Amino acid sequence: MSALLAILFVLFPSDDNIKIKAAWMRPSSEKMSTALYFVIENKSETADTLFQVDSDLAERVEIHETYSEGEMMGMRKVDFIVIEGQGSFELKPGAHHIMLMKLKKDINDGDKGEFVLHFKQAGEIKITAIAKKPK
Ligand SMILES: [Cu+2]
C-alpha cells in the first residue's frame, strides 16, 4: 500500500503546495506593454522559486521589480522570485509584476488571458487572469 502511495506521489507531484490567487492584468493595446499581478501562496515547508512565465498574449514576458533611486522610480528585470516555505508573495502595482511586452492583441476590460507559471519545485501551473482597471 505504501508503495502504491509513493507511486501516486510521483505521478501527481505536490501541485497543491503552490496556490495562485487574484490574478489580474491591466487593459492595454496591441504592440504596447502591460503588467500581470497575482498572489502566490506556498503551503510547502520548503521555499519555491518562480523563474519563468509563458503567455501567447505577448512577444516577451519578464519578471520585473520596481525600484526607486531618489526621486526616480523605475523597473527592471529579475531572474526569479522566491516564495518562502509557508509564505506568500504578492505581485502588485508599484512592486514586483509580470511584464508583458509587445502585446499581440488588445487587452480590454473583462478579457481573460492564460499564463503558465514555472516553479522549480511545483513545476508548471496554469492560471487565468482577468483584465481590469487598477483601483
Ligand atoms: Cu515592468
Side-chain angles (χ1 to χ4, degrees):
M1 191 61 191
S2 58
L4 177 61
L5 276 178
I7 290 167
L8 286 175
F9 274 115
V10 172
L11 290 176
F12 304 100
S14 47
D15 53 319
D16 281 332
N17 282 338
I18 294 286
K19 285 231 184 334
I20 307 298
K21 292 184 168 173
W24 67 283
M25 55 190 173
R26 290 171 188 267
S28 187
S29 306
E30 188 180 350
K31 296 195 172 66
M32 304 297 283
S33 298
T34 193
L36 165 71
Y37 309 100
F38 46 82
V39 178
I40 308 167
E41 286 187 355
N42 185 4
K43 308 275 186 206
S44 164
E45 297 290 332
T46 46
D48 206 343
T49 303
L50 173 69
F51 64 94
Q52 189 185 327
V53 178
D54 293 334
S55 169
D56 289 335
L57 286 177
E59 301 273 346
R60 257 173 81 189
V61 182
E62 295 180 350
I63 304 171
H64 276 194
E65 67 176 359
T66 304
Y67 67 96
S68 57
E69 266 176 20
E71 301 281 285
M72 296 273 290
M73 283 268 283
M75 57 184 181
R76 60 192 165 207
K77 185 176 181 291
V78 293
D79 290 330
F80 53 81
I81 289 172
V82 175
I83 311 96
E84 297 299 327
Q86 302 287 345
S88 69
F89 193 101
E90 184 177 9
L91 292 88
K92 60 187 177 188
H96 282 70
H97 54 276
I98 304 301
M99 200 81 213
L100 311 176
M101 301 158 100
K102 292 188 184 166
L103 292 173
K104 294 178 186 172
K105 58 177 189 172
D106 291 351
I107 297 177
N108 298 308
D109 207 5
D111 283 357
K112 286 178 180 164
E114 298 201 339
F115 300 88
V116 180
L117 313 184
H118 297 261
F119 290 89
K120 278 189 184 162
Q121 306 294 333
E124 294 183 8
I125 296 180
K126 286 195 180 117
I127 65 163
T128 302
I130 189 151
K132 62 177 185 181
K133 295 193 180 79
K135 283 171 191 153

